[in-house]
Amino acid sequence: MYHRVAKPRFDPWGLCVSPDNFTAQMTMLKSHRHVMSVDDLVTALAAGDVPKFAAAVTFDDGYADNAIIAKPVLEELQIPATFFLTSKSIGEGQFWWDELAALVLAFPDAVDFEVEIGGQPAEVKWGAQAAIPPDLPGWRAEHGGKDPQRRAYLNLWAILQQSEPDPRTMAMAELRARLGRLDENCPSPADLPMSETMVRNLASPMIRPGGHGQTHIPLAGAPAERQLAEISGGRADITALTSGFEPTGFAYPHGSVDENARRHVIEAGYSWAAVTDDLPVNPRAFDRYALPRIGVGNWTADMLRRKLR
């Protein structure tokens, strides 16, 4: 499971693999694994005939760097992959979690205000920082809030992650107005979601688009009609943008799934779905609508090989 092929200033959730490490990882996979598409893997699982050392590659969210950097590497090495797309983010600005990190973690001045997110107040308060802490580029959310600024970021993320899209958009607009600095927070094109043109040109013999909802909300516990709109609506969006390429696979945003979401995925016409459990697939006891995936970090090829062993 990949998200980005990039070297950003901050990576709180460990979503990024550098271009050099990614190329080395894919070269290793090509040499030491039987790499196949998830569609072919699911067919093999159902037939009880999975090749030895089988592996499949997926990307979540739909970042532009997937099309700009990852796709050429995959096609050159003849490695199939599924790119799960958040359909309403296509052609839009930064994903909210990336913009939140850029706004909050690098802000130099002291702040003290509240922002309302869907009726829930969130405190935005920290002191001035003379310089970006040297450990910040390597800091991950799992390390916890080591200072008020990081604690504020984690608190805002937790509330925004559970918020409906409209209140989230309003809250991000307020944070942007209060914390935005155009000279520092302007993302590069590769940091954005894919453009419509990228999505139109995405499908190839090696690359298959997949569904990832419309707005990347956690699906577990969401109203049934909302789940249906996210899952079926996202599939229809991608089919329209790719001129009729119907995605066969779905990845639950944040790995969040319940029985209703699973049922809607099946009813929408998906053949399989992926979760975020950091496990291999068990060929003798697999669930095609809850395929686990090993999350890949910014590792050397040898580190990935040891992980797979």
Side-chain angles (χ1 to χ4, degrees):
M1 176 176 63
Y2 289 90
H3 290 81
R4 300 199 60 192
V5 180
K7 295 177 68 175
R9 285 195 303 164
F10 314 121
D11 188 17
W13 302 98
L15 301 181
C16 301
V17 175
S18 74
D20 288 345
N21 278 347
F22 176 74
T23 300
Q25 289 175 4
M26 292 300 102
T27 302
M28 183 279 294
L29 276 182
K30 183 71 174 180
S31 298
H32 297 281
R33 294 278 158 169
H34 184 107
V35 190
M36 56 203 307
S37 70
V38 187
D39 293 284
D40 291 343
L41 175 61
V42 171
T43 299
L45 286 165
D49 188 25
V50 180
K52 191 175 182 180
F53 300 123
V57 177
T58 66
F59 287 79
D60 283 12
D61 301 336
Y63 281 93
D65 61 52
N66 295 181
I68 297 169
I69 302 172
K71 182 182 178 183
V73 173
L74 294 165
E75 291 181 329
E76 180 179 352
L77 293 173
Q78 294 289 286
I79 293 177
T82 300
F83 289 5
F84 298 113
L85 308 178
T86 307
S87 66
K88 294 301 183 186
S89 295
I90 295 168
E92 298 296 324
Q94 273 184 295
F95 287 107
W96 66 264
W97 54 87
D98 290 331
E99 185 177 15
L100 182 69
L103 290 172
V104 172
L105 295 177
F107 197 76
D109 302 331
V111 298
D112 186 359
F113 64 90
E114 279 192 349
V115 59
E116 185 176 292
I117 308 172
Q120 182 175 352
E123 185 179 59
V124 184
K125 182 179 181 179
W126 59 76
Q129 56 179 356
I132 294 175
D135 69 321
L136 189 56
W139 175 75
R140 300 292 180 262
E142 65 192 35
H143 299 157
K146 296 184 177 182
D147 54 56
Q149 210 149 339
R150 293 181 224 198
R151 287 195 292 274
Y153 166 78
L154 292 172
N155 182 53
L156 287 165
W157 185 93
I159 299 172
L160 289 164
Q161 191 248 12
Q162 294 293 326
S163 175
E164 286 290 315
D166 287 346
R168 187 168 64 202
T169 297
M170 292 175 62
M172 286 301 301
E174 182 175 352
L175 290 170
R176 193 179 304 120
R178 288 178 176 265
L179 304 175
R181 290 170 178 254
L182 293 177
D183 56 332
E184 296 179 0
N185 296 331
C186 184
S188 73
D191 293 331
L192 302 175
M194 290 185 202
S195 67
E196 290 188 3
T197 300
M198 288 176 182
V199 174
R200 289 192 190 99
N201 296 327
L202 189 62
S204 75
M206 289 296 108
I207 307 301
R208 306 183 186 192
H212 202 39
Q214 288 187 316
T215 64
H216 207 275
I217 65 164
L219 294 172
E225 63 274 11
R226 186 60 199 282
Q227 291 181 344
L228 182 63
E230 287 285 328
I231 296 165
S232 295
R235 190 168 193 256
D237 293 341
I238 295 167
T239 301
L241 272 175
T242 55
S243 300
F245 185 100
E246 293 185 323
T248 55
F250 183 84
Y252 303 101
H254 303 285
S256 173
V257 56
D258 59 16
E259 283 304 313
N260 281 335
R262 175 192 172 91
R263 176 170 52 81
H264 288 309
V265 166
I266 296 170
E267 292 173 351
Y270 286 107
S271 302
W272 54 270
V275 293
T276 57
D277 298 346
D278 195 42
L279 297 167
V281 177
N282 184 344
R284 292 173 296 279
F286 72 94
D287 180 349
R288 68 163 60 215
Y289 289 101
L291 297 171
R293 294 177 293 165
I294 294 171
V296 182
N298 188 29
W299 307 327
T300 65
D302 191 56
M303 290 168 66
L304 175 58
R305 191 178 179 190
R306 290 201 303 269
K307 171 76 170 179
L308 295 180
R309 282 174 175 169

